Amino acid sequence: MRISERIRYVGMNDLKTQLFEHQWPLPYGVSYNSYLVIGDKIALIDTAAAAYEDIFLSNIKEEIGERKIDYLVVNHMEPDHSALQAVIRKEYPDCTIVTNAKAVPMIEGYQGLSDNIQIIKEGECLSLGNVTLQFFMIPMVHWPETMVTWCPEERTVFSGDAFGSFKAVPEGSLIDGFECFRDEMTRYYASIVGKYGQTVQAALKKVAPLNIERICPTHGPVWEKEISEVVGWYDRLSAAKLERGVCLAYGSMYGNTAKAAKSVAAELEKNRVVCKMHDLCEENLSFALADAFIYDSIILGSPTYNAGVFPPVQAFMDALKARGVKNRRFAAFGSFTWAGTSVKLLNNQAVEMQFEVAHNGLSFAQGYTPEKFDAEEIAKPFI
Ligand SMILES: Cc1cc2nc3c(=O)[nH]c(=O)nc-3n(C[C@H](O)[C@H](O)[C@H](O)COP(=O)(O)O)c2cc1C
Ligand SMILES: [Fe+2]
Ligand SMILES: [Fe+2]
């Protein structure tokens, strides 16, 4: 597919895989993007996932026919992009791998390739004759070897996973579409890149002076007209510029904590507070995580379970912790039968995570009734 005369898309959509990284659901699929830069010489920027060897090679041939690939640029070594490096080397035995020193042992470790590798440093250029590639390191977005490739003649940055998104790209026109990708971009960010907000901020500062006119990420659409929206959204997520609203997530075995959750949501909505409710037993936690990255408040519902927090809710709390989510307003609630501990345990964790416990929480014994559980009271600090 043609992005410009000199830049071609040779990636593909994956509508078969159920879970990305065997963890994150893909209700709308995902794309593995790879690009050719065609000058006097030809460079391939990253490859694709292992299952797509045939499609990948045929996409490349469709663009360049019998011409050879001179360089394989490796921006990122996660196997969703690196799995076909050895296939490329076999098909194009003279192609030089161009990457930074941190990627070199990973290339050998994953792909068994160690020869004909050109190691480049920060800011170094590679000439393709009439077009240039320049390399900038963006370590820990989201692996240590990650870098971006800048093509000044095309004002295009090949950004790796930065600015990437879940969701397959429309066949035939993969440029822009921020509104319809925003939710899946946020869930991608929260699930995979979210722990690295500070390094994303550093990377944004590094690429800011480049006067970028096109972003070619490794997942999701190519960004042109909507660059400012996409960069602005990434900036907001990585700098935790939060919107007012509540991510209300709960788990429940027998429905009592669930009823309490619904009463809290109704109370917040009655008062026009944005409330995004997630049932952690029905949904993968990445959907709630995405909202936890957007909103300034988190309310959790958990029954007491073996004197602890109900495991699906604890898993969500652990996911927040692992991503360094902090500075949220917080409250917890839940049902118990003989000795309620879940609310207290969640509050303790919230304090450790630098959350502000806006309400001390409400637990109630056995079945839910509005008399036992005062949704108005727990919702009040969030209104
Ligand atoms: C395996 C299991 C362990 C439990 N452990 C505790 C406990 O340690 N302390 C307690 O008070 N209740 C405990 N309970 C009772 C639940 O907290 C109680 O049934 C609660 O009402 C469930 O809320 P739900 O309807 O939202 O699922 C346990 C229940 C189960 C099934
Ligand atoms: Fe990655
Ligand atoms: Fe990726």
Side-chain angles (χ1 to χ4, degrees):
M1 202 185 307
R2 184 193 162 100
I3 306 292
S4 73
E5 182 56 26
R6 289 184 287 209
I7 298 177
R8 306 299 167 89
Y9 179 84
V10 288
M12 68 288 297
N13 283 330
D14 177 354
L15 295 166
K16 286 186 293 210
T17 301
Q18 299 288 314
L19 294 173
F20 191 80
E21 295 179 355
H22 267 161
Q23 295 189 80
W24 317 114
L26 295 170
Y28 315 102
V30 66
S31 69
Y32 309 116
N33 300 345
S34 170
Y35 305 90
L36 286 167
V37 181
I38 304 175
D40 298 329
K41 291 191 169 177
I42 295 179
L44 175 66
I45 318 278
D46 289 313
T47 66
Y52 291 91
E53 174 175 343
D54 294 346
I55 296 175
F56 188 48
L57 288 177
S58 116
N59 287 353
I60 292 170
K61 302 250 185 251
E62 207 167 293
E63 299 298 338
I64 60 171
E66 291 311 306
R67 285 188 69 185
K68 302 278 173 257
I69 291 173
D70 299 284
Y71 298 104
L72 166 59
V73 174
V74 175
N75 279 334
H76 180 29
M77 274 307 295
E78 195 173 0
D80 54 333
H81 312 292
S82 66
L84 299 178
Q85 290 167 355
V87 168
I88 291 296
R89 179 51 80 66
K90 193 163 167 231
E91 189 71 18
Y92 303 100
D94 298 328
C95 104
T96 301
I97 294 174
V98 178
T99 195
N100 64 81
K102 284 192 187 140
V104 172
M106 300 185 190
I107 294 172
E108 178 155 25
Y110 278 115
Q111 295 283 302
L113 300 174
S114 55
D115 63 320
N116 197 5
I117 297 180
Q118 183 175 333
I119 298 175
I120 47 82
K121 293 203 179 76
E122 171 74 12
E124 213 172 301
C125 291
L126 174 75
S127 173
L128 303 179
N130 53 347
V131 62
T132 319
L133 300 178
Q134 191 177 13
F135 309 99
F136 297 100
M137 307 304 137
I138 54 161
M140 298 321 293
V141 183
H142 60 122
W143 278 22
E145 85 300 359
T146 40
M147 64 179 204
V148 298
T149 297
W150 165 240
C151 178
E153 292 85 354
E154 291 278 332
R155 311 221 67 79
T156 295
V157 66
F158 299 92
S159 62
D161 283 339
F163 311 112
S165 174
F166 291 139
K167 195 168 178 171
V169 290
E171 299 282 351
S173 87
L174 57 93
I175 294 175
D176 293 330
F178 178 61
E179 278 311 319
C180 74
F181 275 86
R182 187 207 319 243
D183 289 352
E184 285 294 275
M185 176 182 262
T186 307
R187 199 165 61 84
Y188 177 83
Y189 181 88
S191 308
I192 290 162
V193 189
K195 178 173 164 49
Y196 305 102
Q198 282 182 351
T199 52
V200 170
Q201 279 291 309
L204 284 172
K205 286 200 179 70
K206 188 176 267 192
V207 296
L210 293 178
N211 190 16
I212 297 166
E213 287 178 10
R214 184 189 294 126
I215 298 176
C216 293
T218 45
H219 305 283
V222 170
W223 304 108
E224 286 184 358
K225 290 192 288 297
E226 296 175 349
I227 282 183
S228 61
E229 282 95 328
V230 170
V231 174
W233 189 247
Y234 245 70
D235 181 40
R236 272 183 52 178
L237 294 173
S238 56
K241 295 174 188 167
L242 302 168
E243 270 177 44
R244 192 162 169 264
V246 175
C247 168
L248 196 173
Y250 69 93
S252 180
M253 294 173 279
Y254 298 110
N256 294 295
T257 305
K259 284 181 191 155
K262 284 167 195 156
S263 68
V264 175
E267 192 59 32
L268 291 168
E269 278 155 15
K270 194 172 88 190
N271 288 283
R272 297 178 199 289
V273 177
V274 175
C275 173
K276 299 291 171 87
M277 188 162 67
H278 297 278
D279 179 346
L280 296 167
C281 298
E282 291 290 329
E283 275 183 356
N284 180 275
L285 59 80
S286 60
F287 294 92
L289 262 188
D291 282 329
F293 270 82
I294 296 176
Y295 295 107
D296 65 1
S297 300
I298 296 173
I299 302 180
L300 295 184
S302 169
T304 296
Y305 191 91
N306 293 338
V309 176
F310 187 41
V313 182
Q314 186 57 54
F316 180 59
M317 200 60 167
D318 290 342
L320 294 170
K321 240 180 259 179
R323 285 158 183 75
V325 173
K326 55 186 180 186
N327 300 329
R328 302 301 195 271
R329 305 190 75 234
F330 181 83
F333 61 90
S335 173
F336 66 97
T337 297
W338 64 93
T341 57
S342 61
V343 167
K344 186 163 173 279
L345 291 169
L346 285 169
N347 280 351
N348 291 346
Q349 294 176 62
V351 169
E352 279 166 27
M353 292 159 73
Q354 299 174 35
F355 287 2
E356 176 203 339
V357 179
H359 186 285
N360 273 335
L362 290 178
S363 49
F364 57 97
Q366 298 98 33
Y368 165 86
T369 64
E371 291 72 35
K372 274 196 230 169
F373 181 79
D374 189 347
E376 204 180 318
E377 195 205 311
I378 195 167
K380 208 180 290 164
F382 299 91
I383 290 167

